[in-house]
């Protein structure tokens, strides 16, 4: 009995904050199928010992592909979901392991300037071009994961520079979660969770210095972080 191997890929939803919007990074697809459409950065998982190309995991495959195609390693990368089925790809039965990547705009902007990606708003006002495969659906899945996890963790700090103001962090949460947070309560919850550590002073609005913070760990869970979620 012979078996046909399914197509196994990874697709990465790279999100950043730009111009008051949550934006996704897309690449042009140059090959069939769907040549000429925009697509998420992604590619095939390597699993052939005969060629010496074997990815240790799908996350390692995602990091390899991002480095090869974009020269880019995101600050935060996590596996979100696996989408699969016979009708996703006209070339055959396929499965894609979706990853969510977060990074500050200043770095992603260099990829845009180099022509490697383009940025498109996905929240709060989506403006996406026609996409290859089911990539619009994959983006929606990643956005759902981001919004849900943001309500109880420090995840959104990875959309900001390594050192940030608490006011900028609060505004990121308000944008993504669609809430209005009390400044004092948000500050109290963040500092009480010991999720942040003081860093350099930053220049705030009006040219006044503001205390900077950085994450103590990649991710800290904070129960009841967002009041209106």
């Amino acid at each position: 009995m012979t078996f046909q191997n399914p197509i196994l890929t990874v697709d990465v939803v790279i999100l950043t904050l730009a111009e008051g919007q949550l934006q996704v990074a897309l690449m042009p697809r140059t090959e069939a199928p769907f040549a000429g459409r925009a697509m998420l950065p992604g590619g095939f998982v390597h699993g052939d010992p005969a060629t010496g190309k074997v990815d240790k995991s799908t996350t390692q495959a995602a990091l390899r592909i991002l480095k090869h195609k974009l020269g880019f390693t995101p600050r935060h990368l996590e596996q979100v979901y696996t989408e699969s089925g016979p009708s996703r790809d006209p070339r055959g039965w396929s499965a894609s392991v979706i990853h969510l990547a977060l990074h500050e705009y200043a770095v992603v902007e260099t990829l845009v300037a180099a022509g490697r990606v383009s940025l498109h708003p996905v929240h709060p006002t989506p403006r996406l071009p026609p996409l290859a495969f089911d990539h619009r659906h994959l983006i929606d899945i990643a956005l759902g994961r981001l919004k849900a996890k943001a309500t109880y963790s420090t995840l959104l700090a990875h959309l900001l520079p390594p050192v940030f103001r608490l006011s900028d962090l609060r505004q990121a949460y308000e944008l993504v979660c669609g809430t209005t947070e009390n400044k004092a309560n948000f500050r109290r919850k963040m500092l009480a969770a010991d999720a942040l550590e003081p860093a350099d002073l930053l220049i705030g609005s009006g040219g006044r210095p503001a205390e900077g913070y950085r994450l103590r760990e990649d991710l800290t869970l904070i129960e009841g972080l967002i009041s209106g979620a």
Side-chain angles (χ1 to χ4, degrees):
M1 182 179 296
T2 60
F3 297 91
Q4 183 177 357
N5 290 330
I7 299 169
L8 180 60
T9 63
V10 292
D11 290 296
V12 186
V13 181
I14 303 173
L15 297 176
T16 193
L17 287 175
E19 299 178 351
Q21 298 263 347
L22 189 63
Q23 305 210 23
V24 65
L26 300 175
M27 298 176 60
R29 183 165 175 82
T30 58
E31 301 176 353
F34 302 108
R37 289 197 180 187
M39 61 178 285
L40 294 169
F44 294 102
V45 176
H46 287 170
D48 186 359
T51 64
K53 296 180 178 180
V54 178
D55 291 314
K56 295 181 179 179
S57 66
T58 54
T59 298
Q60 195 274 332
L63 289 170
R64 170 182 56 79
I65 289 166
L66 291 178
K67 189 67 175 178
H68 173 71
K69 291 188 174 182
L70 302 180
F72 170 70
T73 300
R75 179 176 305 143
H76 179 83
L77 181 73
E78 65 176 73
Q79 183 175 316
V80 172
Y81 185 73
T82 299
E83 186 72 11
S84 62
S87 59
R88 299 185 59 250
D89 190 323
R91 295 169 295 184
W93 201 101
S94 69
S96 177
V97 183
I98 310 160
H99 285 70
L100 172 66
L102 305 179
H103 210 95
E104 65 176 292
Y105 173 66
V107 175
V108 180
E109 184 183 26
T110 64
L111 302 179
V112 176
R116 295 181 176 180
V117 301
S118 56
L119 288 177
H120 304 267
V122 289
H123 180 77
T125 306
R127 292 196 301 273
L128 289 170
L131 299 180
F133 305 102
D134 57 353
H135 285 192
R136 175 61 186 266
H137 175 58
L138 304 190
I139 291 171
D140 289 341
I141 292 173
L143 285 174
R145 172 64 170 266
L146 178 74
K147 294 175 185 178
K149 200 166 183 178
T151 62
Y152 61 86
S153 76
T154 56
L155 181 64
L156 297 190
H158 293 289
L159 294 169
L160 303 177
V163 177
F164 49 83
R165 294 186 291 265
L166 264 177
S167 59
D168 292 333
L169 183 60
R170 176 177 51 80
Q171 289 169 11
Y173 277 86
E174 290 180 339
L175 173 68
V176 173
C177 299
T179 62
T180 300
E181 296 300 310
N182 178 276
K183 295 179 182 180
N185 287 343
F186 184 83
R187 178 185 179 88
R188 175 182 57 78
K189 291 175 184 178
M190 274 289 175
L191 298 184
D194 202 27
L196 309 177
E197 61 183 16
D200 301 330
L201 288 177
L202 300 173
I203 301 301
S205 59
R208 293 173 295 180
E211 188 172 11
Y213 292 90
R214 63 166 58 92
L215 289 176
R216 290 190 184 275
E217 299 179 350
D218 180 73
L219 196 70
T220 301
L221 304 183
I222 306 175
E223 183 177 355
L225 174 60
I226 299 303
S227 58

